[in-house]
């Protein structure tokens, strides 16, 4: 107690106030440096399988010999279906499954996203394990078209052959579901939604036959044509929607079986040639982080992961000497391992960054970097708060650093002195509309309100209501682009984007001007400080919470927002201009544009994918961008911009 | 159609009442689609009530009989079940499902007792004794797994001379049935699996079957009018063998790919080549013999069976007349054809091996399979370990008549259904199909939920039954060792009331069991949790009472040492340290 | 005065509008919130209440089962309302009204001014206070209150009765006070601990009103008897309603023995999940003793400020009872601003409120990781509940410190604004 109080006493010291900027700068630097040291041997670990039941590669695989002939035949069959209409294709695949005495069903889905229709059919067959009691199932997927939109010819054929081969075994303790989605992302999403009855019947057909709880899923992507093509390596894709990852054990099992048992090298994150150098490790990690941060579906497996079904995609790459049978054996061995599982995969890590196929960093090691970056905003917010109350503050109790004494205290301030009736009315009225926004926002809005009384420790002359409301409205404003980008016509999305980019860039200046022109008394110096303070506080809080859900996204946005905690409204026109220019470069739209350029993506495609993600995969990235990043940016830019007009 | 008729006839024949104490056994073979074979074993022994009372057992197994007497069980039904019956392909269940149970072990019995408690006590003795007898963990059927069904089960025997019977019912869906349960099962037979059809029962094949159920049914039967009652014990085994799989030699069970030359290819395909082969499926019935399929020879008849009368035909096979069936035996046997030749029965030779040989054959006519009266499937919707909803889909394929069913759910206590969310929809009509509801909610750690619904499904319509439930989180000692697999929920039992079947055994359908993953705590944490929580409490308590019991004085009045401020604190610490060192 | 009422009307109108708007604009929201463990506990959940009502209306005893653990008198009350599954409006209006009444009661408490000036004690900073309207606003727009209302948790009712009891006590209305207190204790059991301090408050109020101090012993005896009688009446009415006394075990028994370990924001659930079976009963006893021990201590030490004691006790309930929810926290946090005059003396408010703010965001996130994503385990959420409780208890202790310091300033004015130490 006494110790704390004496530390509190320290706060009276004027010098303390000079520290925060350096402190938050330090946080940022350490946070980023932290990321950079992760690839070193000291901070990363070699992967290992912790679930004993898996026993990867311990079984002999028999998928050879005449199965190869059958596979070739099926490959021809599949090839023959390539330019057939969907219905005929499904029907033919169904018959092949039926010939193998499996239970077969199809599922039609028909999404309409930003005036584009995504309609196709999933075919799936269930192999009822002779000893299984229909409580558990594992899924083998081969999407008809892979992510590159090539027909997954050999992949589908392999699944058909394996279905025929697996049917002969009597050792399956779980049902095996063979799924052939119409496409790589929406198809499997529709299927897995319907399987858990989380689907919207208007777009997705319900499943006729089901099995038990899904324990794992493996997708094969092998687009080789009817004459086959020998491959060099397996590319293991593991990112799920919203940056959720499968249990590391599944990934390890796949890698270990491929390399240890079959002698197939495996690569991740498109690092075709990984020489285990620091540079390559770092590059792999960063690619992983970007892909996780975007949170998009990276393969047929991605949609399974949000439902707590661990899944990976095995993709063949390069020219080598491995043939389809070795891939088939890998899958066989992998399924034998999954078949051994007594429990749902839970032993190993769910949060990790992979540096290469056999090296990873666990959450405990990397989380601090994101947290440090998030904290820097909180520190800046505190500093701003103290600054805002500096002048009027009675020296006696400096403990009054309270963002949360927002509206009420001010409210009551006024009607304490003079019983001007308007005040509380205004107070109430202005609260009323607030909660109409989504819960996330509502919370933090009233969050400010709620904690009020508890927190406000002292009589300060801070006028908190206006800044609070302005910050809230900034967040509310984020809903507009969120809605537009998700529902706009696909063909006009790029146009919309450009327009938004321009509007956003000019918006702060316009706002600042308007306020300055109409009612200069609102945006006082203190009010501006408070606005920045509140928005930074919220930003820090959101990023901290986000870091636990999607680490990479939190880091990426955190880094992009770093300047926000350093920009200040200055009376010097030049400095203001410089700051504004920098902010303009860092506004969400601009960052997205530059990012796409750097990653060699196509903006239009990305926008459409984002809309698709929002409607079909339940992607949350846009929400974070428009309701966390964008408002913070706006608020701080307005603060800076207001400097121009006096 | 004839064949199905003859089946009914056979069933009737099997359960037809024979007086006095006798023993009878029968095996009915029935090829099913997809190269599978249904083998229904039936062993029946009678003991007159008087002899039973005097513990004078002839065919009736003594060990079992004494258990029944000790537990005052008047009628008992015990089921061991593995696998699923595939109604779409295989049609009506054997014996209308009246001799099969849900996945795992299922037991229900009518116990004679004056009070509920006494009945339950006797039930516990019964389960414990049986668990010892059958090497099954029946003793885990405790209060939480026991229910008292009201509509689903009706006694099969005549209980004229026994008063206030209590029906108790328990299931163990997670129990894995295997050889250790088969051996005691065979021990109960008079021929102990040494001779007669029971000599075919071999653990390896039996538990490699796609579906297999073992049943034991004991019921009292009284002749019409007179009081000459006797106790009938029926043991049945129904199994569906995948012929290809069970023909594999035991020493080499691995399904290696066929040698390329043995692989039949569809040569009509354009791409057909020496290295490319589209597997041809010839629509022929595969060749098999009893010995191949069961892995053991049939060692002649069991000498204890009746050698005369209408029940001498021990082995029957139900195939179209055109199917050639050769008999291979050295002994004396007799063949007789029933039901317009679709059923061929054989009287087994005694002391000589007997085998049926069916060559591969292309069939022109098939058997008419009786279709099941309803199709039922149950699954869990939603994900996450907090809550979910159960969905049962029951379809009535008949285009003419409505089906009246009783739907029985017996849920573990940690799965808490919300009855107000129970919805039963029929796709063809708006009126509620539910006619009668019996509901007994669960009590934590004391008893499970018991729900019975009487419903009517109109012709050619589908009933969808859904209800929400919440999953309780348990104490860490209450989880099984493989906590993250989840718990098994017993299959729902569906009894078809009308249209009624021929016999008094009822028509039953059971759904598959469900897997219920519960939220799990961290099992490695007890000490940490206790310590951390206690710390937080201590902080609150200490802080507040510290304030309450002490009094304030001005900083200046306080002893100078360790006055406020960081400096003071440090000073005091240092001096205290000095003091310590000085002492040391 | 008229202005005040006008203010209040507008405020209440706005609050009602907010709630009804949320109900109508997001029809899925009530279900969602009712399912959140932070909002509705096994003993307050609306879904369980619906189940209870369903069983009750179908003549199955709701207490012969493990789902319904709430007071019997709620059953007829809610069976009168139309089924919320089809016609939610009535229920929504009901809960909105409950909130408004609570706010009104709170405003009355604030108006009485007992927070800063009591019979035996007047704070030197008594002029430092917020208008009752503002305090009511703090309650009505507190997101926790709103969430509780939208989730239709029955703890809203408990809060209403607790606040009413305070209001009546602070205005010296004996009978209504006794009734309200009895109802509160009947619904949630632990408010029974509020009776002594509130009785003290009532005594002060009465003495101030009728400038004569009534005889203490007779006063205490009569009111205690009345209280007991009221509770007895309620219980017997329930027994008559359900036809048996089973409900005692199913309601208060559950609160006492914690058979249902559904997670909540409190400290008990995980502790008793991980507790060794042989020690469970012992620790149940210890925890209850601990929770109850605050009442006498505070009442004796702070007998001059009974209202503050009552308020602090609600805080204790929000932390140390077996099934706390954010509703209890909301009650406490809305009572605290009445003691505006103590704020200058509080020291760790930033720490506490920051932790509370952070936990209210991290809690749901971690719960999602544990239960749905499956990528985190129970410890994540448990850690957050620890921090939450810690934050609340810091506020508790800090406000207590402030109150004592306030008293000190009266006893020894020369120490005002000086550093003090406790010895």
């Amino acid at each position: 107690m006494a110790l704390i109080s004496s530390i509190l006493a320290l706060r009276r010291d004027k010098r303390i106030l000079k520290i925060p900027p350096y402190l938050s700068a330090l946080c940022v630097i350490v946070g980023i440096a932290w990321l950079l040291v992760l690839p070193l041997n000291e901070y990363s670990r070699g992967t290992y399988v912790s679930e004993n039941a898996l026993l990867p590669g311990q079984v002999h695989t028999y998928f050879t010999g005449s199965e190869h002939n059958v596979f070739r035949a099926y490959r021809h069959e599949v090839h023959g279906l390539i330019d057939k209409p969907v219905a005929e294709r499904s029907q033919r695949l169904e018959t092949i499954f039926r010939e193998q005495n499996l239970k077969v069903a199809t599922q039609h889905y028909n999404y309409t996203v930003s005036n584009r229709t995504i309609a196709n059919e999933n075919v799936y067959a269930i192999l009822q394990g002779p000893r299984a009691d229909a409580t558990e199932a594992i899924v083998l997927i081969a999407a008809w078209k892979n992510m590159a939109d090539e027909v997954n010819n050999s992949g589908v054929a392999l699944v058909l052959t394996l279905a025929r081969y697996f049917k002969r075994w009597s050792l399956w303790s779980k049902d095996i579901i063979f799924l052939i989605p119409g496409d790589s992302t929406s198809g499997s999403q529709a299927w897995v939604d319907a399987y858990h009855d989380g689907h919207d019947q208007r777009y997705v057909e319900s499943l006729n036959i089901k099995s038990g709880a899904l324990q794992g899923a493996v997708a094969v992507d092998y687009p080789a044509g009817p004459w086959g093509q020998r491959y060099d390596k397996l590319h293991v894709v593991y990112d799920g929607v919203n940056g959720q990852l499968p249990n590391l054990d599944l990934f390890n099992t796949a890698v270990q079986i491929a390399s240890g048992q079959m002698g197939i090298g495996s690569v991740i994150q498109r690092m075709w040639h990984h020489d285990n150098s620091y540079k390559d490790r770092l590059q792999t990690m960063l690619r992983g982080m970007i892909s996780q941060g975007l949170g998009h579906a990276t393969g047929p497996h991605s949609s399974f992961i949000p439902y707590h079904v661990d899944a990976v995609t095995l993709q063949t790459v390069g020219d080598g000497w491995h043939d389809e049978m070795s891939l088939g054996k890998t899958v066989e061995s992998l399924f034998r391992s999954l078949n051994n599982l007594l429990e749902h995969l839970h032993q190993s890590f769910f949060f990790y960054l992979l540096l290469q196929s056999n090296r990873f960093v666990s959450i405990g090691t990397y989380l601090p970097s994101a947290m440090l970056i998030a904290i820097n905003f909180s520190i800046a917010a505190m500093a701003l708060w103290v600054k805002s109350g500096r002048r009027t503050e009675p020296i006696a109790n400096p403990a009054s650093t309270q963002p949360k004494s927002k509206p009420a205290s001010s409210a009551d301030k006024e009607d304490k002195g003079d019983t001007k009736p308007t005040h509380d009315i205004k107070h109430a009225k202005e609260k009323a509309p607030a909660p109409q926004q989504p819960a996330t926002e509502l919370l933090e809005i009233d969050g400010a309100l709620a904690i009020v009384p508890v927190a406000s420790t002292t009589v300060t002359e801070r006028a908190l209501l206006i800044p609070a409301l302005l910050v809230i409205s900034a967040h509310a404003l984020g809903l507009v682009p969120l809605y537009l980008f998700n529902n706009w016509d696909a063909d006009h999305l790029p146009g919309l984007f450009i327009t938004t980019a321009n509007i956003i860039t000019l918006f702060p200046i316009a706002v600042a001007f308007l306020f300055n022109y109409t009612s200069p008394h609102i945006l006082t110096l203190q009010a501006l400080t408070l606005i920045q303070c509140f928005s930074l506080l919220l930003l820090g809080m959101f990023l901290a919470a986000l870091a636990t859900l999607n680490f990479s996204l939190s880091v990426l946005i955190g880094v992009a927002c770093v300047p926000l905690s350093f920009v200040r409204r200055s009376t010097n026109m030049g400095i203001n201009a410089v700051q504004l220019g920098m902010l303009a470069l860092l506004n969400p739209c601009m960052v997205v544009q530059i990012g796409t350029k750097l990653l060699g993506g196509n903006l239009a495609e990305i926008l459409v994918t984002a809309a698709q993600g929002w409607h079909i995969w339940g992607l949350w990235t846009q929400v974070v961008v428009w309701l966390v990043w964008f408002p913070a940016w706006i608020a701080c830019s307005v603060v800076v911009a207001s400097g121009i007009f006096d | 159609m004839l064949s199905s008729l003859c089946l009914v006839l056979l069933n009737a024949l099997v359960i037809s009442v024979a007086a006095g104490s006798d023993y009878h056994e029968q095996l009915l073979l029935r090829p099913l689609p997809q190269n599978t074979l249904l083998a229904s074993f039936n062993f029946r022994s009678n003991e007159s009530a008087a002899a039973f009372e005097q513990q004078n057992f002839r065919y009736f197994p003594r060990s079992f009989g004494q258990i029944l007497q000790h537990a005052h069980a008047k009628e008992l039904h015990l089921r061991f079940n593995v696998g699923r019956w595939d109604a779409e392909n295989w049609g009506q269940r054997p014996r209308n499902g009246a001799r099969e149970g849900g996945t795992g072990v299922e037991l229900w019995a009518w116990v004679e007792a004056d009070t509920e408690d006494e009945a339950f006590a006797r039930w516990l003795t019964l389960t414990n004794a049986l668990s010892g007898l059958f090497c099954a963990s029946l003793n885990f059927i405790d209060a939480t797994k026991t229910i008292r069904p009201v509509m689903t089960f009706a006694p099969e025997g005549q209980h004229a001379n026994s008063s206030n019977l209590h029906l108790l019912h328990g299931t163990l869906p997670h129990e894995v049935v295997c050889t250790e349960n088969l051996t005691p099962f065979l021990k109960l037979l008079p021929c102990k699996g040494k001779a007669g059809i029971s000599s075919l029962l071999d653990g390896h094949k039996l538990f490699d079957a796609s579906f297999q159920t073992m049943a034991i049914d004991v019921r009292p039967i009284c002749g019409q009018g007179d009081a000459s009652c006797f106790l009938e014990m029926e043991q049945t085994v129904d199994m569906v063998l995948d012929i290809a799989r069970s023909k594999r030699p035991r020493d080499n069970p691995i399904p290696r790919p066929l040698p390329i030359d043995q692989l039949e290819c569809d040569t009509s395909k354009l791409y057909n080549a020496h290295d490319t082969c589209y597997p041809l499926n010839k629509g022929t019935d595969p060749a098999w013999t009893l010995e191949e399929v069961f892995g053991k020879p049939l060692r002649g008849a069991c000498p204890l069976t009746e050698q005369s009368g209408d029940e001498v035909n021990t082995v029957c096979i139900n195939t179209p007349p055109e199917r050639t069936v050769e008999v291979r035996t050295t002994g004396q046997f007799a063949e007789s054809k029933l039901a317009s030749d679709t059923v061929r029965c054989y009287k087994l030779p005694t002391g000589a091996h007997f085998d049926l040989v069916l060559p591969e054959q292309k069939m022109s006519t098939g058997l008419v399979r009786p279709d099941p009266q309803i199709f039922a499937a149950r699954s869990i919707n939603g994900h996450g370990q907090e809550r979910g909803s159960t969905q049962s889909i029951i379809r009535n394929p008949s285009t003419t008549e409505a089906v009246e069913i009783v739907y029985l759910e017996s849920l573990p206590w940690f799965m808490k259904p919300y009855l107000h969310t129970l919805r039963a929809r029929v796709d063809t009509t708006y009126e509620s199909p539910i006619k009668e509801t019996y509901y007994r909610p669960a009590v934590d750690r004391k008893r499970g939920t018991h729900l019975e619904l009487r419903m009517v499904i109109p012709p050619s319509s589908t009933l969808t039954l859904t209800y929400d439930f919440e999953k309780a989180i348990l104490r860490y000692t209450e989880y099984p060792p493989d906590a993250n697999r989840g718990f098994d929920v017993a299959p729902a039992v569906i009894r078809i009331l009308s249209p009624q079947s021929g016999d008094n055994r009822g028509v039953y359908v059971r759904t598959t069991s469900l897997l219920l993953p519960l939220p799990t705590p961290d099992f490695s944490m007890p000490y940490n949790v206790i310590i951390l929580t206690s710390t937080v409490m201590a902080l609150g308590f200490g802080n507040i009472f510290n304030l309450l019991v002490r009094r304030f004085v001005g900083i200046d009045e306080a002893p100078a040492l360790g006055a406020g401020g960081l400096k003071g604190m440090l000073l005091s610490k240092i001096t205290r340290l000095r003091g310590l060192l000085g002492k040391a | 005065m008229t202005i005040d009422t006008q203010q209040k009307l507008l405020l209440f109108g706005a609050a009602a509008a907010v709630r009804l708007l949320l109900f109508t604009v997001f029809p899925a929201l009530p279900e969602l919130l009712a399912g959140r463990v932070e909002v509705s506990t096994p003993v307050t959940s609306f879904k369980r209440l619906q189940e209870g009502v369903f069983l009750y209306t179908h003549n199955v005893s709701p207490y012969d089962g493990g789902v319904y653990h709430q007071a019997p008198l709620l059953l007829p009350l809610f069976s009168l309302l139309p089924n919320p599954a089809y016609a939610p409006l009535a229920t929504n209006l009901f809960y909105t009204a409950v909130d408004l009444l609570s706010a009104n009661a709170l405003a009355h408490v604030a108006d009485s001014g007992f927070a800063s000036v009591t019979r035996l004690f007047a704070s030197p900073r008594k002029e430092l206070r917020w208008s009752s309207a503002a305090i009511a606003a703090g309650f009505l727009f507190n997101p926790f209150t709103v969430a509780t209302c939208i989730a239709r948790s029955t703890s809203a009712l408990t809060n209403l009765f607790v606040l009413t009891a305070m209001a009546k006590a602070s205005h010296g209305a004996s009978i209504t006070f006794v009734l309200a207190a009895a109802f509160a204790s009947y619904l949630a059991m632990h408010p029974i601990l509020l009776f002594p301090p509130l009785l003290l408050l009532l005594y002060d109020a009465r003495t101030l009103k009728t400038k004569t101090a009534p005889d203490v012993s007779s006063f205490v005896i009569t009111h205690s008897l009345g209280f007991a009688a009221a509770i007895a009446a309620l219980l017997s009415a329930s027994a008559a309603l359900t036809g048996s006394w089973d409900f005692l075990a199913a309601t208060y028994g559950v609160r006492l023995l914690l058979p249902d370990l559904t997670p909540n924001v409190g400290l008990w659930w995980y502790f008793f999940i991980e507790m060794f079976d042989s020690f469970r009963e012992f620790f149940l006893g210890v925890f209850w003793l601990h929770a109850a021990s605050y009442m006498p201590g505070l009442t004796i030490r702070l007998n001059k400020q009974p209202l503050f004691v009552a308020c602090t006790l609600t805080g204790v309930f929000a932390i140390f009872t077996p099934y706390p929810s954010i509703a209890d926290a909301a009650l406490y946090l809305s009572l605290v601003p009445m003691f505006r005059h103590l704020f200058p003396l509080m020291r760790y408010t930033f720490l506490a409120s920051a932790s509370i703010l952070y936990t209210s965001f991290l809690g749901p996130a971690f719960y999602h990781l544990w239960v749905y994503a499956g990528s985190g385990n129970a410890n994540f959420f448990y850690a957050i509940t620890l921090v939450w409780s810690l934050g609340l208890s810091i506020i508790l202790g800090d406000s207590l410190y402030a109150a004592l310091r306030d008293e000190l300033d009266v006893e020894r004015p020369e120490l005002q604004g000086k550093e003090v130490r406790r010895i």
Side-chain angles (χ1 to χ4, degrees), chain B residues 145-356:
Chain B
K145 295 192 181 68
T146 305
I147 58 169
R148 295 176 161 79
V150 289
M151 294 183 277
T152 313
F153 297 102
E156 287 179 14
Q158 289 91 346
H159 296 287
N161 48 11
S162 53
S163 57
N164 51 21
L165 294 175
H166 299 265
L167 167 61
L168 294 101
H169 176 278
T171 53
L172 291 172
H174 190 34
E175 181 76 358
V176 181
V177 181
C178 201
T179 4
E180 76 269 18
N181 308 116
L182 175 66
T183 323
F185 183 89
L186 292 178
K187 282 269 186 303
L188 297 180
L189 298 170
C191 287
K192 305 255 184 295
K194 297 282 181 295
I197 55 174
S198 58
S199 60
L200 286 176
L201 288 172
D202 164 36
H204 294 82
K205 299 297 180 186
L206 182 62
F207 297 105
D208 192 19
S210 310
F211 165 85
Q212 74 88 7
T213 172
M214 299 190 294
I216 295 182
D217 302 81
V218 181
R219 54 175 191 157
I221 294 179
C222 299
Q224 288 70 13
D226 61 353
S228 70
C229 292
F230 58 86
L231 206 63
E232 177 190 280
M233 169 162 170
E234 199 178 359
Q235 283 178 271
T236 52
V237 176
D238 295 313
M239 57 200 285
V240 176
L241 293 157
D242 179 325
I243 294 177
R245 210 162 57 214
S246 40
K247 270 164 67 182
R248 280 185 214 129
R250 185 185 296 182
D251 54 0
N252 175 18
I254 298 168
R256 292 195 170 74
L258 286 171
I260 294 176
D261 46 6
Q262 289 178 27
L263 195 67
E264 282 114 348
C265 301
D266 180 349
T267 49
S268 67
K269 299 281 181 186
L270 300 173
Y271 50 73
N272 187 39
H274 69 285
D275 68 343
T276 311
C277 171
Y278 188 88
L280 183 68
N281 90 340
K282 320 159 289 171
T284 61
D285 287 15
W288 56 272
T289 73
L290 282 181
E291 188 163 357
E292 272 181 334
V293 173
F294 289 97
K296 290 162 81 178
L298 173 46
R299 301 212 197 85
C302 170
L304 301 174
T305 49
E306 306 294 308
Q307 293 307 316
S308 63
D310 55 355
E311 295 191 343
V312 294
N313 295 323
T314 315
V315 176
C316 293
I317 179 163
N318 173 223
T319 56
E322 63 171 304
R323 185 85 162 111
T324 50
V325 179
E326 300 156 12
V327 177
R328 185 188 298 152
T329 177
T330 55
Q332 180 71 21
F333 76 98
E335 175 174 2
S336 57
K337 301 195 172 187
L338 302 114
S340 66
D341 302 356
T342 54
V343 177
R344 282 167 255 189
C345 291
Y346 302 90
K347 179 175 187 299
L348 294 183
T350 315
H353 286 196
F354 177 88
D355 199 354
L356 292 179

Side-chain angles (χ1 to χ4, degrees), chain A residues 229-234 272 315-322:
Chain A
Q229 186 236 355
R230 293 175 169 262
Y231 59 91
D232 176 30
K233 285 178 178 156
L234 279 183
W272 308 139
Q315 189 179 21
T316 61
V317 292
D319 284 330
W321 53 274
H322 298 293

Side-chain angles (χ1 to χ4, degrees), chain A residues 192-213:
Chain A
V192 73
D193 284 347
Y195 196 91
H196 296 92
D197 203 54
H199 61 300
D200 182 340
Q201 308 234 1
R202 288 170 299 172
Y203 313 122
V204 179
E205 201 180 343
S206 301
L207 299 185
N208 300 330
I209 51 174
K210 284 189 191 179
S211 178

Side-chain angles (χ1 to χ4, degrees), chain C residues 145-170:
Chain C
T145 322
V146 177
T148 316
C149 174
I150 302 297
R152 298 163 298 176
S153 145
T154 45
S155 43
L157 280 167
T158 316
N159 289 358
L160 168 62
F161 284 114
V162 169
L163 287 170
T164 322
M166 287 184 182
K168 294 308 172 187
S170 54

Side-chain angles (χ1 to χ4, degrees), chain A residues 412-512:
Chain A
D412 314 323
K413 197 71 30 350
E414 295 179 28
D415 55 43
K416 187 179 74 205
D418 52 325
T419 52
K420 202 167 359 84
T422 57
H423 174 66
D424 256 290
I425 299 157
K426 182 168 101 248
H427 176 56
K429 276 216 193 101
E430 280 156 345
K431 285 299 146 306
Q436 295 167 19
Q437 294 130 23
T440 54
E441 209 148 353
L442 164 65
L443 265 183
E444 123 259 330
I445 296 160
D446 288 347
L449 250 182
I451 315 301
V452 172
V454 200
S456 56
T457 51
T458 173
V459 194
T460 59
E461 295 313 315
R462 298 188 177 96
L464 299 155
L465 191 55
I466 309 290
L469 289 176
L470 287 177
V471 172
I472 292 163
S473 39
H475 281 266
L477 190 66
L479 290 169
V480 180
L482 181 64
Y483 178 82
L484 289 180
F485 275 103
N486 287 330
N487 299 311
W488 206 259
D489 189 312
D491 310 335
H492 306 118
L493 268 175
L496 174 69
F497 184 83
I498 301 303
T499 338
T500 327
N502 296 329
I503 295 178
I504 287 180
T505 322
L506 298 177
F507 186 75
I509 305 173
V511 172

